[in-house]
Amino acid sequence: MKYKSTRGGCSDQSFEQVLLTGLAPDGGLYVPAELPQLSEQEIASWKDLNYSDLALKIIAPFIGDEIPEDALREIIESSYAEFDHPEVAPLSILAEGEYMLELYHGPTLAFKDFALQVLGRLLDYVLVKNDQRVVILGATSGDTGSAALEGCRHSERVDIFILHPHQRVSEVQRRQMTTVSGDNVFNLAVEGNFDDCQRIVKAAFADQSFLPEQSQLVAVNSINWARIMMQIVYYFSAALKLGAPQQAVSFSVPTGNFGDIYAGYLAKRMGLPIKQLVVATNSNDILYRFISGNEYSVTELNHTYSPSMDILVSSNFERYLFDLFDGDAEALTSFMEKLGSESLSVSEQKWQQLKTCFVSARVDDETTCETIAQVYADTGKLVDPHTAVGIRAARDCNADKATPMITLSTAHPAKFSEAIKAAGLAAPDLPPHLQDLFEKEEHYTVVPNRLDAVTAFVKSHSHN
Ligand SMILES: *Cc1c(COP(=O)(O)O)cnc(C)c1O
């Protein structure tokens, strides 16, 4: 499989090249040059596969012959063996026609484990084969950091540096990162906010001359194609359980960087019968305003009870816009360059096209807490604030009660006890494997909010 950039300014790349990088050199994101198309019969024949076997079927075409099937199978099976539920992504029922896909059974309790467990092993495989080392550099507002550390720490050929905003992540989230030990694992607490961390990471990727020769930076956030690819699988898994391909289903997805829901959009384009995709946002609502009113403009950042969705501009939305613009990289580039300085819109025809696929609802903090309390009262299930945003948005958007609606439950409630308490409920216990989280020793370094401070640290601590 070949990959191309949404900005059209570089040659096609292999899966391996795309895996070992971040943004494309022209500033775009990589997308597959063509999407596998699946027939109804083929999808139907996957009904009885376990999660790992299904994952292998779905991702193999995206990798082609670059990794032999046996090696890929081993990578997938060992990744999902780390999950604490035999179904890996179990589906639970909230009410008639209303379901929740539990994506929090991985080692760090958020859906990011689905991709990052595999990403770490894919990197290891490719780096051993090439006798190469790389430096992973990422910024996190909480969940990506721990999932990346957990997924990549075993690799002897990576040094991993994760930046988080000092004193601005929850204690559980911080400890999940800082208690991971290993001499290739580094947590940097930047004296700034998440945007500062992200800016530093972006600048470091743009100029990698501080690294030793032969080394390069690899991204672990969802600009990395491998993350999107692994997330396509659970859309198929959930839909098959509810009778697809004969039965159509809809999904509601708590959305931040648009990675998770973009994977659902790809599943639909590959042939899975998905009726609606609900883009569920918190009060950081740029996508809600665009989908419901054709207005794409940046506002101020709000800090909410669902911090993993506190994002101003969703980076993966560019991948969808590339399709909406019929692959016209030039039109997309000029659209993206204007963002930030003006309020943008698309033609009426394109906007209608977008609305045949996506609907959106915005859920504020108060309604999030109300939903947590209501779901608990009705079902006895405790849901995390991101999931609550998804459930509420599904209820607000779903006029069509005949199609099952599946909300992606993106994190375990124990990760976000502040919102649970604000909903008037008792904070849940951490699962058994994290019960000693508060006793373990933490390792992190506080660094000033400056690019040169970070690059100097990376340079002096990487094992090249
Ligand atoms: C990362 C995250 C999201 C947002 O996912 P995107 O792919 O960025 O849209 C939602 N909920 C939780 C719990 C997350 O960790």
Side-chain angles (χ1 to χ4, degrees), residues 297-333:
S297 64
V298 182
T299 49
E300 293 277 285
L301 187 73
N302 295 309
H303 291 281
T304 72
Y305 280 136
S306 42
S308 302
M309 295 152 66
D310 289 349
I311 285 171
L312 282 181
V313 178
S314 309
S315 48
N316 286 291
F317 196 55
E318 175 164 345
R319 287 183 157 123
Y320 170 71
L321 286 174
F322 182 68
D323 277 359
L324 188 65
F325 286 33
D326 301 315
D328 183 344
E330 214 172 303
L332 176 67
T333 305

Side-chain angles (χ1 to χ4, degrees), residues 110-112 143-144 222 227 231 253-261 308-309 311 316 384 386-387 410-411 416:
F111 81 87
K112 298 197 162 80
D143 297 331
T144 299
S222 55
R227 278 196 50 187
Q231 290 167 199
V253 186
T255 297
N257 254 331
F258 205 76
D260 211 4
I261 194 162
S308 302
M309 295 152 66
I311 285 171
N316 286 291
D384 103 288
H386 304 79
T387 306
T410 49
F416 299 98

Side-chain angles (χ1 to χ4, degrees), residues 145-328:
S146 55
L149 291 166
E150 204 50 62
C152 304
R153 71 191 165 109
H154 297 298
S155 174
E156 287 171 9
R157 288 165 178 272
V158 306
D159 294 302
I160 173 162
F161 297 84
I162 298 292
L163 277 52
H164 70 264
H166 187 39
Q167 292 171 340
R168 292 185 202 213
V169 297
S170 79
E171 183 167 8
V172 170
Q173 287 181 318
R174 188 192 73 234
R175 286 181 169 273
Q176 278 189 299
M177 295 188 276
T178 59
T179 58
V180 175
S181 52
D183 67 358
N184 61 341
V185 166
F186 304 94
N187 281 288
L188 297 180
V190 175
E191 294 175 316
N193 59 29
F194 172 62
D195 282 321
D196 296 321
C197 298
Q198 231 173 357
R199 201 171 320 117
I200 290 173
V201 167
K202 257 191 133 163
F205 269 85
D207 179 3
Q208 302 185 16
S209 57
F210 67 94
L211 286 176
E213 241 178 293
Q214 311 294 341
S215 190
Q216 70 191 65
L217 294 179
V218 173
V220 282
N221 54 347
S222 55
I223 60 171
N224 192 316
W225 162 256
R227 278 196 50 187
I228 307 288
M229 176 181 81
M230 292 317 303
Q231 290 167 199
I232 298 171
V233 179
Y234 45 69
Y235 288 89
F236 278 87
S237 161
L240 280 164
K241 284 182 186 167
L242 294 181
Q246 290 81 12
Q247 169 71 56
V249 297
S250 292
F251 287 94
S252 175
V253 186
T255 297
N257 254 331
F258 205 76
D260 211 4
I261 194 162
Y262 177 70
Y265 161 79
L266 292 180
K268 180 178 162 87
R269 277 193 53 212
M270 288 165 72
L272 189 65
I274 297 179
K275 189 142 190 215
Q276 278 188 323
L277 283 166
V278 179
V279 178
T281 80
N282 63 23
S283 53
N284 296 293
D285 63 352
I286 181 170
L287 292 170
Y288 165 74
R289 285 180 287 115
F290 188 43
I291 293 164
S292 58
N294 196 7
E295 181 214 330
Y296 197 52
S297 64
V298 182
T299 49
E300 293 277 285
L301 187 73
N302 295 309
H303 291 281
T304 72
Y305 280 136
S306 42
S308 302
M309 295 152 66
D310 289 349
I311 285 171
L312 282 181
V313 178
S314 309
S315 48
N316 286 291
F317 196 55
E318 175 164 345
R319 287 183 157 123
Y320 170 71
L321 286 174
F322 182 68
D323 277 359
L324 188 65
F325 286 33
D326 301 315
D328 183 344

